[in-house]
Amino acid sequence: MRLTRRHPLLVAVLLCALAVLAARPTDGDGPYGSDGGSGISAQVARLYEDAALATRRYEEGRREAEEQRARARRLEERLDRRRREIAALREDMGRIASAQYRNGGGLPIAAQLILADSPDELMRGQHVFSQAHLALNNTIAKSRRAEARLAAAEAKASAAWQVLEQRNAELATVKRGIEAKLEQARQQLQGQADASVAAGACRGAVRLDQPVTRFSSGWVAPVETYQLSASYGSGGARWAHRHTGQDFAVPIGTPVRAVGQGRVVRVSCGGPFGIEIVLEHAGGYYTQYAHLAAVAVDQGERVVTGQWIGQSGTTGNSTGPHLHFEARVTPQAGSAVDPVAWLAARGVSLG
């Protein structure tokens, strides 16, 4: 039961941490200035990470609760088996007592001496029965002690599970609060992005707090968590010919990463791609990140692998929140290659 002794303290610490996260302000003030555009972009990025942390903590707590519940179930099953064993032992004891009575065990010793063939026979019978009776009583006593220990352990496991369930409910409440703040901030960020696209002018780079990352290779996927949607070469009414990139279905405000080190060759905020960034990489290749809600880099800037360069959105010719990603041989549209195969050749499997 080591987990049950330490877990309440652990969860209490997590709850305090998440409560602090949930209490973060939702206005534009902060280290990025009071400007509405930059403030909300930075806030969405912070809330995005807070929501991810809250989700991880909630899932960890849920798994702990399930483990405790399974432990309580296993102990209850052991208790049931022990109870059945004791019931069987009691039946055996009853049968032995009945047999003793039928064989004269219920008669006074004087009568048994008269009826026995010999004193030795009587003594042997009494000794055998006495030993069997003692062994049975010892077994029942041990079983009862074991049952008591199991019952105490089962009660302790059940109580620990109930505490975890309660704490998990509190974690879920904190998680929902963060997600509600994040959704509100996302809508505000997208509204500002739409205004920028309508004006044809970007607000400028928002300097986001970069995550601490250690990549084993020089290339990564453009977003960390995603679902693949429209693929390269697919047809549809939204495209003049064929889809020229790979779409990643992600919520508004999701941090977008540079797939490899390179240089920003274009940042634009108009046209069918909405807010977009194009990077130049070694070897004559370019990558495009489109339909963004915000940018975090300036044209001409150098970036490293995994650096947050913007935030996803649904600007331009977009039917919903996603990242449109392309790999190209020139900075311009029309030179795209299959981005999934291109990333796979660099050790990045989108799966």
Side-chain angles (χ1 to χ4, degrees), residues 46-65:
R46 290 196 302 271
L47 286 169
Y48 178 89
E49 292 195 295
D50 292 350
L53 174 62
T55 298
R56 286 196 300 273
R57 294 296 184 254
Y58 172 76
E59 290 301 319
E60 289 170 3
R62 186 186 60 80
R63 285 192 295 271
E64 290 284 357

Side-chain angles (χ1 to χ4, degrees), residues 41 44 48 182-183 185-195 197 208 222-223 225 227 229 246-257 268 272-277 289-296 309-325:
S41 293
V44 168
Y48 178 89
L182 177 58
E183 182 58 28
R186 280 170 171 161
Q187 295 306 317
Q188 187 177 349
L189 177 64
Q190 183 61 43
Q192 294 175 348
D194 291 337
V197 171
L208 303 175
V223 284
T225 304
Q227 286 186 335
S229 49
Q246 173 63 58
D247 286 351
F248 296 78
V250 290
I252 293 169
T254 301
V256 174
R257 311 186 295 191
S268 64
F273 288 118
I275 299 176
E276 65 167 326
I277 298 170
Y289 312 77
H291 304 307
L292 302 176
V295 296
I309 59 174
Q311 292 165 281
S312 65
T314 182
T315 54
N317 181 18
S318 171
T319 59
H322 72 284
L323 169 70
H324 174 87
F325 173 76

Side-chain angles (χ1 to χ4, degrees), residues 33-321:
S34 59
D35 173 70
S38 62
I40 196 64
S41 293
Q43 190 172 77
V44 168
R46 290 196 302 271
L47 286 169
Y48 178 89
E49 292 195 295
D50 292 350
L53 174 62
T55 298
R56 286 196 300 273
R57 294 296 184 254
Y58 172 76
E59 290 301 319
E60 289 170 3
R62 186 186 60 80
R63 285 192 295 271
E64 290 284 357
E66 288 298 323
E67 290 173 3
Q68 285 289 3
R69 182 157 46 190
R71 179 179 178 83
R73 284 197 299 265
R74 289 193 300 270
L75 287 169
E76 182 62 34
E77 291 170 358
R78 290 173 61 186
L79 277 172
D80 288 340
R81 288 196 300 271
R82 183 65 67 183
R83 292 183 185 114
R84 289 194 296 270
E85 291 171 2
I86 290 175
L89 287 171
R90 285 171 177 164
E91 290 179 4
D92 290 342
M93 188 173 181
R95 283 193 294 270
I96 292 172
S98 297
Q100 180 196 28
Y101 181 80
R102 288 194 301 271
N103 294 329
L107 296 175
I109 294 296
Q112 293 182 44
L113 284 170
I114 295 170
L115 296 174
D117 293 337
S118 68
D120 289 341
E121 180 185 348
L122 174 63
M123 296 306 294
R124 283 195 300 271
Q126 285 292 327
H127 179 72
V128 169
F129 177 77
S130 177
Q131 291 298 315
H133 189 72
L134 179 61
L136 184 57
N137 284 340
N138 286 340
T139 302
I140 290 176
K142 288 179 181 178
S143 295
R144 285 175 176 167
R145 289 194 296 271
E147 181 179 3
R149 288 194 300 270
L150 282 171
E154 191 271 344
K156 192 172 183 180
S158 180
W161 165 68
Q162 291 176 5
V163 169
L164 285 170
E165 284 286 281
Q166 180 181 354
R167 299 290 174 83
N168 239 25
E170 295 170 1
L171 284 170
T173 300
V174 173
K175 178 173 174 285
R176 285 193 297 270
I178 294 174
E179 289 173 344
K181 285 185 178 183
L182 177 58
E183 182 58 28
Q184 181 181 9
R186 280 170 171 161
Q187 295 306 317
Q188 187 177 349
L189 177 64
Q190 183 61 43
Q192 294 175 348
D194 291 337
S196 295
V197 171
C202 295
R203 289 178 174 269
V206 177
R207 300 303 173 180
L208 303 175
D209 288 335
Q210 295 294 326
V212 177
T213 55
R214 293 179 178 85
F215 300 110
S216 58
S217 67
W219 301 91
V220 296
V223 284
E224 184 175 1
T225 304
Y226 55 85
Q227 286 186 335
L228 298 177
S229 49
S231 59
Y232 175 79
S234 57
R238 297 191 304 277
W239 309 300
H241 301 288
R242 292 284 179 177
H243 192 224
T244 54
Q246 173 63 58
D247 286 351
F248 296 78
V250 290
I252 293 169
T254 301
V256 174
R257 311 186 295 191
V259 297
Q261 64 179 359
R263 183 175 63 90
V264 181
V265 295
R266 182 162 70 242
V267 176
S268 64
C269 297
F273 288 118
I275 299 176
E276 65 167 326
I277 298 170
V278 177
L279 303 182
E280 179 185 16
H281 304 281
Y285 285 100
Y286 300 80
T287 54
Q288 180 209 31
Y289 312 77
H291 304 307
L292 302 176
V295 296
V297 290
D298 289 317
Q299 193 162 309
E301 185 177 335
R302 299 203 66 82
V303 298
V304 296
T305 301
Q307 179 178 332
W308 286 356
I309 59 174
Q311 292 165 281
S312 65
T314 182
T315 54
N317 181 18
S318 171
T319 59

